[in-house]
């Protein structure tokens, strides 16, 4: 199975351009699964709720979803991509999953970062896994990485590959993903963006270096920090089903949830 991270510069509110650029990169390199950045059609640095609403699209009937569905049918592939999802009065920071037969699933970002809390509703559904035949896919978005529970939930639900659409602004994630993948024995595709959003007095720079990470924490591919590019890696997703580190230690079976007291504090 070939998996790909698609790294572009998502220009603010230039939906057609951003979509065209992502689809050009997809058409240029054959893969079975492509992961695109978070909010890839709209850009990230919103300054009002009106802008967020203007960027948001219904799922799966909006124009970006339709273009993704067509691309999956044309290239006989799966695509995970981040976009602002209009859902009644709410807008979610979501990832959508499409395959050759059309729409498959949506993930709504659970752990919102910084000003995202002003614009987006927090995800209202638990982490879930989707069986696409050659592999089981989980989705999470950007800042979800800093909570180990995100990838652990996906691993416990059987994910082989974590599709991680991102707009990273902090310098920690790429290194941290090696540990996230190692501790859960899964593959991850972190598709980040490059460039900056500058809006009035605010600006944010995005760190690129999109990364495909293996189940023993190997960096299988990493994109540059400043260029639009696609990186493709051939993997055996079944390697993620072997959770044994040695003959006595299993990453999931050796957990001791009774000792963790995870729900003691809610403050
Ligand atoms: C982020 O979650 N986009 C930093």
């Amino acid at each position: 199975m070939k998996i790909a991270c698609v790294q572009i510069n998502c220009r603010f509110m230039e939906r057609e351009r951003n979509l065209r650029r992502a689809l050009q990169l997809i058409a240029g390199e054959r893969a079975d699964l492509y992961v695109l950045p978070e909010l890839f059609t709209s850009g990230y640095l919103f300054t009002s709720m009106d802008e967020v609403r203007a960027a948001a699209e219904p799922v799966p009937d909006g124009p970006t979803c339709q273009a993704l569905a067509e691309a999956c049918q044309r290239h006989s592939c799966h695509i995970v991509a981040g976009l602002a999802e209009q859902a009644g009065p709410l807008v979610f920071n979501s990832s959508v999953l499409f395959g050759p037969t059309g729409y498959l699933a949506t993930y709504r970002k659970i752990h919102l970062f910084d000003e995202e809390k002003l614009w987006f509703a927090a995800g209202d559904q638990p982490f879930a896994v989707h069986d696409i035949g050659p592999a089981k896919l989980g989705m999470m978005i950007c800042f979800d990485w800093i909570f180990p529970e995100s990838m652990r939930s996906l691993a416990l639900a059987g994910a082989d590959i974590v599709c991680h659409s991102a707009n990273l602004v902090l310098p920690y994630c790429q290194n941290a993903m090696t540990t996230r993948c190692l501790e859960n024995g899964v593959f991850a595709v972190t598709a980040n963006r490059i460039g900056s959003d500058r809006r009035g007095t605010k600006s944010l720079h995005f760190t690129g270096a999109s990364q495909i990470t293996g189940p023993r924490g190997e960096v299988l591919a990493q994109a540059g920090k400043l260029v639009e590019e696609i990186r493709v890696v051939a993997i055996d997703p079944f390697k993620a089903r072997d959770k044994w580190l040695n003959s006595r230690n299993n990453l999931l079976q050796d957990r001791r949830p009774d000792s963790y007291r995870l729900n003691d504090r809610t403050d």
Side-chain angles (χ1 to χ4, degrees), residues 38 44 93 109 111 113 116 141-144 166-169:
E38 177 184 12
Y44 184 82
N93 180 347
K109 188 173 185 178
H111 304 103
F113 179 71
E116 289 173 37
I141 300 178
C142 206
F143 193 55
D144 282 328
N167 273 194
L168 293 162
V169 292

Side-chain angles (χ1 to χ4, degrees), residues 14-25 40:
E14 293 189 30
R15 196 187 69 80
E16 303 253 318
R17 181 267 171 203
N18 297 331
L19 183 58
R20 190 170 58 245
R21 194 69 193 105
L23 294 180
Q24 276 168 354
L25 288 170
F40 89 101

Side-chain angles (χ1 to χ4, degrees), residues 49-245:
M49 200 57 217
D50 283 346
E51 284 180 355
V52 178
R53 278 195 210 95
E57 301 181 34
V59 174
D61 296 325
T64 299
C65 285
Q66 279 176 15
L68 295 174
E70 275 168 30
C72 286
Q73 197 180 27
R74 190 172 335 122
H75 302 299
S76 192
C77 67
H78 286 79
I79 297 179
V80 170
L83 49 71
E85 178 198 357
Q86 183 74 56
L90 300 179
V91 182
F92 293 95
N93 180 347
S94 295
S95 275
V96 288
L97 167 63
F98 283 84
T101 58
Y103 170 73
L104 294 174
T106 302
Y107 163 69
R108 294 170 166 170
K109 188 173 185 178
I110 288 175
H111 304 103
L112 297 174
F113 179 71
D114 202 355
E115 287 190 0
E116 289 173 37
K117 292 190 177 192
L118 303 178
W119 316 128
F120 297 105
D124 54 358
Q125 288 155 26
F127 289 103
V129 164
H130 311 282
D131 191 342
I132 61 161
K136 293 185 181 174
L137 306 185
M139 292 183 274
M140 67 177 196
I141 300 178
C142 206
F143 193 55
D144 282 328
W145 75 265
I146 211 164
F147 301 90
E149 293 88 347
S150 307
M151 276 182 73
R152 183 64 102 198
S153 301
L154 291 171
L156 287 170
D160 304 312
I161 304 170
V162 173
C163 302
H164 184 207
S165 297
N167 273 194
L168 293 162
V169 292
L170 301 175
Y172 314 116
C173 174
Q174 288 88 343
N175 282 341
M177 288 306 283
T178 63
T179 304
R180 291 285 172 272
C181 286
L182 172 63
E183 68 200 2
N184 290 294
V186 295
F187 292 90
V189 183
T190 300
N192 194 16
R193 60 163 285 188
I194 59 163
S196 301
D197 280 354
R198 292 194 185 81
R199 312 289 329 289
T201 56
K202 293 185 185 178
S203 81
L204 278 177
H205 177 72
F206 302 92
T207 59
S210 295
Q211 181 170 298
I212 300 178
T213 314
R216 292 294 175 265
E218 327 88 293
V219 176
L220 300 174
Q222 194 178 69
K225 292 185 175 163
L226 302 171
V227 282
E228 294 190 314
E229 65 175 311
I230 179 168
R231 298 298 306 268
V232 181
V233 174
I235 62 154
D236 174 3
F238 279 72
K239 287 206 168 134
R241 307 227 173 145
D242 175 12
K243 304 297 187 192
W244 291 98
L245 277 182

